[in-house]
Amino acid sequence: MAAAESCKNEAMTNWAAIAGVIATVSVYAIAQGLTYPLLSFVLQRQGVSPAMIGLSAAMTPIGFIVSSPLIPSLARRFGAGRTALTCAALSALTLALVGLTYNVYAWFPLRFMIGVVTNPLYVLSEVWMIALAPPGKRGRIMGVYSTLISAGFAAGPLCLLFVGTEGWPPFLVGIVAFVVCGACLAVVLPRLPKVDQTGHHVSVLGFMPLALLLLTAVVVAAGFEQAVLALLPVYGTNFGIAETRMSALLTVMIAGNIAMQVPLGLLAERLSAQVVRLGCVVATVAGCALLPLVITTPLVWAFLFVLGAVSYGIYTMTIIELGERFTGQALVAGNAAFSLMWGVGGIALPPLAGAAMTLFGAPGLPVTLGAICLVLVVASVMALRGGLNSRRRVG
């Protein structure tokens, strides 16, 4: 009887911790989603060139890349909880410094620091989420997690409709969001697993040979998302589609991303994350092939909704498989490696697709993205057939 009660209390604690981590990351996503457009609007008002605005925005993902290899050692030395709480406080402070300076050149190192200090907060929250999710329900829980993060990023720009983009109000929203993020984390911290203290020490570079296919999938998912957000409006103008209509189409695509991650997670529980990821990649390749045929038809609305769901589903399934295969320090290193590869994909693939559009016109976008996804399809099929992805848990 006492054992049953203990199990019940443990389950309740786990669900409370899961809810707390989701709240933490959702608020973090709102702050991050607000920052990107806010700083672009401010720089645009100052007469800064688009090229300089783009370089300024690139500082944050570069910060992600630089900080990712440091996360396992920081978590090991100071503890994951203390590291994440410190990063939440530093994120609020850095954003306050951005609001104080209002200078494009000062913002280069500050935006870099935003990437450096927010990345461990995100990575460690994702590690806790994976560790807390019961194996039998990991698909749906990670689906909810992905959905709420996407919704948080989408809600960030909406905040600007209410507070505007001038003066301190928008910066205060972001600063308060980071403070609330830290407060949510502090509340649930005693209930979180000590993932940073378990298993053999694994570095980010040491993790990479263990999961090359997963890391490739992250690069593809990140590059696809960033390239579409940046270049789909340009692609649409080549077909005479108005900017307002393209903005609405992008919104529908993001809505598909938000709405469909839980159903995909449930499907992963029935089949496997590997199989569902392969299905998502195949569907994304098909989407790239069909895009020129449907872009000017009424079918494009439903088409982009589905494409948004399956393209981001690649990442959701990859995260689920990471949790199935790795624990402890290997899981921390894996999440940090994922963050690094997300930055690499987000920086490398949009310019590649843009260059293809410059050389070959509008078809360069779907051809480039489709070809990259096709490489992932081939690698995934080879892994499934040859058993290259061991199901053995590493930690």
Side-chain angles (χ1 to χ4, degrees), residues 28-84:
Y28 159 88
I30 292 172
Q32 284 287 76
L34 173 143
T35 303
Y36 280 100
L38 170 62
L39 301 188
S40 295
F41 285 135
V42 172
L43 292 175
Q44 193 173 34
R45 281 201 304 269
Q46 293 178 346
V48 177
S49 69
M52 186 67 78
I53 293 173
L55 285 173
S56 177
M59 292 299 102
T60 298
I62 290 174
F64 293 162
I65 293 172
V66 170
S67 64
S68 292
L70 305 176
I71 295 173
S73 59
L74 288 172
R76 193 163 57 243
R77 181 169 182 178
F78 301 108
R82 187 179 300 174
T83 300

Side-chain angles (χ1 to χ4, degrees), residues 80-314:
R82 187 179 300 174
T83 300
L85 284 174
T86 302
C87 286
L90 290 175
S91 299
L93 177 61
T94 306
L95 188 55
L97 291 174
V98 170
L100 281 170
T101 52
Y102 257 74
N103 180 282
V104 62
Y105 299 107
W107 281 6
F108 272 83
L110 287 174
R111 296 186 82 167
F112 172 80
M113 283 306 301
I114 287 176
V116 169
V117 298
T118 60
N119 191 36
L121 177 62
Y122 175 77
V123 168
L124 294 172
S125 295
E126 195 162 81
V127 168
W128 282 316
M129 180 58 55
I130 294 170
L132 285 165
K137 297 181 179 178
R138 182 173 285 124
R140 71 193 74 180
I141 290 174
M142 297 310 297
V144 170
Y145 171 81
S146 294
T147 295
L148 291 178
I149 287 180
S150 298
F153 276 113
L158 290 178
C159 292
L160 298 178
L161 294 177
F162 299 99
V163 299
T165 60
E166 298 185 6
W168 272 104
F171 288 98
L172 288 175
V173 170
I175 292 166
V176 170
F178 280 125
V179 171
V180 172
C181 178
C184 292
L185 181 59
V187 169
V188 298
L189 198 55
R191 303 181 179 187
L192 298 180
K194 306 296 183 182
V195 293
D196 52 295
Q197 299 174 357
T198 59
H200 302 293
H201 294 173
V202 182
S203 68
V204 170
L205 291 178
F207 173 84
M208 288 184 176
L210 302 176
L212 289 175
L213 179 59
L214 298 186
L215 296 172
T216 302
V218 172
V219 172
V220 171
F224 188 95
E225 180 183 77
Q226 297 300 313
V228 167
L229 289 175
L231 297 172
L232 189 62
V234 180
Y235 180 83
T237 59
N238 283 271
F239 292 87
I241 301 174
E243 291 182 3
T244 52
R245 181 179 173 89
M246 286 309 305
S247 296
L249 287 171
L250 274 177
T251 301
V252 168
M253 189 170 184
I254 294 170
N257 170 353
I258 294 172
M260 296 303 294
Q261 298 313 303
V262 173
L264 288 173
L266 288 169
L267 189 60
E269 292 176 10
R270 285 182 168 271
L271 304 175
S272 74
Q274 277 184 304
V275 170
V276 177
R277 185 183 67 239
L278 176 58
C280 286
V281 183
V282 170
T284 303
V285 173
C288 291
L290 293 172
L291 181 62
L293 302 178
V294 302
I295 188 68
T296 57
T297 72
L299 292 174
V300 71
W301 299 94
F303 174 83
L304 287 179
F305 181 90
V306 174
L307 185 60
V310 295
S311 60
Y312 193 75
I314 297 170

